[in-house]
């Protein structure tokens, strides 16, 4: 990735967000997602707000400033609510944002908190009508007796205004907390998954949804696993997968039956029972699952590793990448400070050759599948000079710490990169630290 | 380029060697488990089992009722916003306040700093 011989190097492009260390809870970024062209980049935060950035294509003659993302629209998507029946607060935190493919001038996205999914329409307005017959320019109605002639109002240009309006609210379908939404390739339906159930919705219909997976046991005492993530196949509209807290992935075919409790395929890596410890199940819990763009593979993220699965092979992953294996000897303290439950996401690059995921200390990792190389980079204000090349980082697990290495005990576990996104075509990545959004791009030689 | 894979191999190789030699030395994961059990002897033997899952299903702060919830929210709002000038209390104590006397209503929604 980084190194001699024309390998790819990453440069700082932009950083968004406040500089001060005192982070307000509402500003914690909870999701990052590029749209299908990569022109738009959406973020959601704990305060229920969505901020959308738009890529301004600079002079094509100036290759070094290929992409600058500037604020396009921002709106309050979800508000905190109170569940009266259970006396529980419903957080406004945006768990996921998913873009719909663009069909007309407007852009649509789905945003969800723990309980409610909303379809937002983002549209531009750059013209306004002028020359009404019955109204003054400021809106006051004219005295009808004063009107002596008729005219046709004309549309005149105005400053671009971007409006976001909620077009659909999909509520009251989830007893448990929604962890995933995924738009189907049929562009008509989408799924929403909570800890125990997955529902199928039609984008037009808000008062009904089909339950397609239900793993709730009759007796809650018998609960052994929960659903952690779910996604539709990128091309096959009948296929979706869901991952569990036990490290398994189930692939379901909606043609087989209405209720897909019985999976078509079960992906599980066999475990050596003698290696089993108290932590085994917790660290095997899958925090994210993502299909490759070509639809032949899927990637899962568990606490310590990233695994690539061939959809045709259920008994083991085809590739496993260690994200931060040095944490295995720190599991006790990571359990005590709850970090062991952190849910890291992962993503593919446009041609499925590189995968990326976050870690602690504002580090993030990239694994080049073809070249069998990986790199650790850091998102920090110290490396944020324009087009500054990111230097690879190294963590020293034990023993002699070399210069420029950082020891495991010095890692800041409060600085976690849980959410990252890769532009669908170009080498532009968005990396979210706690409250800042970094945009990096590959160095153009 | 990365040393991480090498480190992973080292850990794995070590545990394989250990098993081969049938030493008393245990894998890092198991030693971490022993550490945890020594700190929390009452920890159940069902890791990631029902208890943990059920706690996960019920995440979210529980309030006594909606009144309790709204009071808590109001307290947070008051903490975040700067307190109004003290004259406010004097005015409303003396006479019936007019709209001009009352402090400006603070906007309840604060814009995201990412958009700033």
């Amino acid at each position: 990735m980084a190194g001699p011989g024309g390998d790819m190097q990453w440069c700082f492009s932009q950083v968004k967000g406040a500089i001060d260390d005192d982070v307000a809870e509402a500003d914690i970024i909870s999701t990052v997602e590029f749209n299908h062209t990569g022109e738009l980049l959406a973020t959601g935060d704990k305060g229920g707000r969505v901020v959308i950035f738009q890529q301004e294509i600079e002079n094509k003659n100036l290759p070094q400033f290929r992409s600058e993302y500037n604020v396009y629209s921002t709106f309050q998507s979800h508000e905190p609510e109170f569940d009266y029946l259970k006396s529980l607060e419903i957080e406004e935190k945006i768990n996921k944002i998913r873009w719909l493919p663009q069909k007309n001038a407007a852009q649509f996205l789905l945003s969800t908190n723990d309980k409610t999914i909303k379809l937002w329409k983002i549209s531009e307005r750059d013209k306004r009508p002028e020359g009404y017959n019955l109204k003054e320019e400021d809106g006051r109605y004219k005295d009808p007796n004063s009107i002596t002639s008729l005219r046709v109002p004309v549309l005149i240009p105005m400053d671009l205004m971007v409006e976001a309006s909620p077009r659909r609210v999909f509520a009251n379908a989830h007893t448990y907390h929604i962890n995933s939404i995924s738009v189907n390739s049929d562009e008509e339906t989408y799924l929403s998954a909570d800890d125990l159930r997955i529902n199928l919705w039609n984008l037009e219909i808000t008062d009904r949804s089909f339950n397609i997976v239900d793993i709730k046991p009759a007796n809650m005492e018998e609960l052994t696993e929960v659903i952690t993530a779910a996604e539709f196949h990128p091309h096959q509209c009948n296929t979706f997968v869901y991952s569990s807290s036990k490290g398994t992935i189930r692939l379901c075919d909606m043609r087989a039956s209405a209720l897909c409790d019985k999976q078509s395929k079960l992906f599980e890596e066999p475990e050596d029972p003698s290696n089993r410890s108290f932590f085994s199940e917790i660290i095997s819990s899958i925090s994210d699952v993502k299909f490759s763009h070509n639809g032949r593979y899927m990637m899962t993220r568990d606490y310590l590793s990233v695994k690539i699965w061939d959809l045709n092979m259920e008994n083991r992953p085809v590739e496993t990448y260690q994200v931060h294996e040095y944490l295995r000897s720190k599991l006790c303290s990571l359990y005590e400070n709850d970090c062991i439950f952190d849910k890291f996401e992962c993503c593919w690059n446009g041609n499925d050759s590189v995968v990326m995921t976050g870690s602690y200390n504002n580090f993030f990792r990239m694994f080049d599948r073809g070249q069998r190389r990986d790199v650790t980079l850091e998102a920090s204000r110290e490396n944020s000079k324009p087009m500054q090349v990111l230097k690879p980082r190294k963590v020293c697990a034990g023993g002699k710490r070399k210069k420029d290495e950082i020891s495991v005990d010095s890692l800041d576990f409060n600085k976690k990169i849980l959410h990252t996104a890769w532009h669908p075509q170009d080498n532009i990545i968005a990396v979210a630290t706690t409250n800042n959004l970094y945009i990096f791009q590959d160095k153009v030689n | 380029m990365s040393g991480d894979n090498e480190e992973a191999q080292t850990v794995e190789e070590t545990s394989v060697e250990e098993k081969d030699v049938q030493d008393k030395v245990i894998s890092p994961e198991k030693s971490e488990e022993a550490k945890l059990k020594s700190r929390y002897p009452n920890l159940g033997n069902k890791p990631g089992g029902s208890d943990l899952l059920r706690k996960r299903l019920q995440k979210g702060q529980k309030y006594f009722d909606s009144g309790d919830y709204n009071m808590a929210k109001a307290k947070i709002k008051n903490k975040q916003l700067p307190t109004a000038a003290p004259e406010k209390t004097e005015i409303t104590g003396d006479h019936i306040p007019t709209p001009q006397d009352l402090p400006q209503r603070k906007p309840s929604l604060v814009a995201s700093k990412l958009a700033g």
Side-chain angles (χ1 to χ4, degrees), chain A residues 64-75:
Chain A
Q64 58 264 41
F65 289 110
R66 182 202 320 149
S67 54
E68 265 244 324
Y69 281 85
N70 299 315
V71 179
Y72 179 65
S73 172
T74 175
F75 54 93

Side-chain angles (χ1 to χ4, degrees), chain A residues 347-365:
Chain A
C347 60
W348 298 83
N349 74 338
N351 62 14
D352 302 330
S353 59
V354 184
V355 296
M356 169 167 66
T357 189
S359 179
Y360 294 104
N361 211 70
N362 282 349
F363 287 173
F364 57 101
R365 303 261 288 138

Side-chain angles (χ1 to χ4, degrees), chain A residues 27 49 82 84 86-87 89 195 221 223 274 276-278 280-281 328-329 331-332 336 365 374, chain B residues 2 4-5 29-30 32-33 39-40 47-48 50 53 57 59 61-63 66 69 73 110-111 113:
Chain A
D27 292 328
R49 299 165 300 193
F82 189 68
Y84 292 91
K86 297 182 183 164
S87 289
E89 175 178 30
D195 294 314
E221 303 277 319
L223 183 69
S274 64
R276 199 161 171 78
S277 76
F278 176 84
S280 297
E281 191 173 305
R328 200 179 286 269
S329 48
L331 292 177
C332 181
E336 290 178 302
R365 303 261 288 138
D374 59 87
Chain B
S2 148
D4 279 343
N5 287 328
E29 217 175 292
K30 291 239 165 91
E32 287 293 300
E33 178 178 12
R39 289 188 204 176
Y40 307 98
S50 287
L53 288 178
L57 290 183
K59 94 165 152 136
Q61 191 171 355
K62 204 161 174 101
Y63 292 88
S66 61
Y69 169 73
K73 284 270 146 191
V110 183
K113 299 208 178 84

Side-chain angles (χ1 to χ4, degrees), chain A residues 78-250:
Chain A
H78 287 72
E79 299 251 21
E81 286 175 67
F82 189 68
D83 181 338
Y84 292 91
L85 206 56
K86 297 182 183 164
S87 289
L88 284 175
E89 175 178 30
I90 300 172
E91 273 193 316
E92 66 275 34
K93 171 166 78 88
I94 308 295
N95 292 335
K96 285 279 166 17
I97 288 173
R98 289 288 182 263
W99 291 93
L100 267 58
Q102 191 174 15
K103 283 186 187 168
N104 52 37
Q107 298 278 357
F108 288 87
L109 61 77
L110 286 171
S111 69
T112 187
N113 70 347
D114 283 339
K115 297 286 184 182
T116 306
I117 307 127
K118 295 187 184 181
L119 176 70
W120 287 89
K121 177 180 179 182
I122 297 112
S123 45
E124 294 185 358
R125 193 197 289 261
D126 62 356
K127 296 187 244 306
R128 63 179 179 85
E130 200 181 65
Y132 284 108
N133 288 294
L134 300 175
K135 279 197 284 190
E136 303 283 1
E137 290 312 319
D138 61 9
R140 281 178 303 141
Y141 280 96
K142 288 183 178 170
D143 173 12
N145 299 320
S146 69
I147 299 169
T148 53
S149 61
L150 279 180
R151 58 185 173 169
V152 178
V154 290
L155 290 172
I156 57 161
M158 62 178 251
D159 287 339
L160 179 68
M161 210 167 73
V162 182
E163 301 169 322
S165 60
R167 306 302 289 175
R168 305 271 187 280
V169 177
F170 304 91
N172 301 321
H174 287 277
T175 309
Y176 303 98
H177 298 109
I178 298 173
N179 52 56
S180 313
I181 47 174
S182 178
V183 184
N184 202 346
S185 53
D186 66 9
E187 297 181 25
E188 280 184 14
T189 58
Y190 75 95
L191 63 76
S192 58
D194 67 30
D195 294 314
L196 297 177
R197 299 192 178 101
I198 302 180
N199 293 329
L200 180 72
W201 302 84
N202 182 302
L203 284 163
E204 300 292 328
I205 298 168
T206 59
D207 62 354
R208 254 168 302 165
S209 79
F210 286 104
N211 175 241
I212 51 177
V213 173
D214 189 340
I215 66 167
K216 182 174 185 215
N219 182 359
M220 284 299 269
E221 303 277 319
E222 290 161 26
L223 183 69
T224 55
E225 64 182 328
V226 294
I227 296 169
T228 53
E231 191 175 67
F232 266 120
H233 190 277
H235 314 132
Q236 295 163 19
C237 58
N238 53 287
T239 304
F240 66 93
V241 291
Y242 68 93
S243 59
S244 84
S245 53
K246 273 184 152 175
T248 62
I249 310 102
R250 287 171 173 80

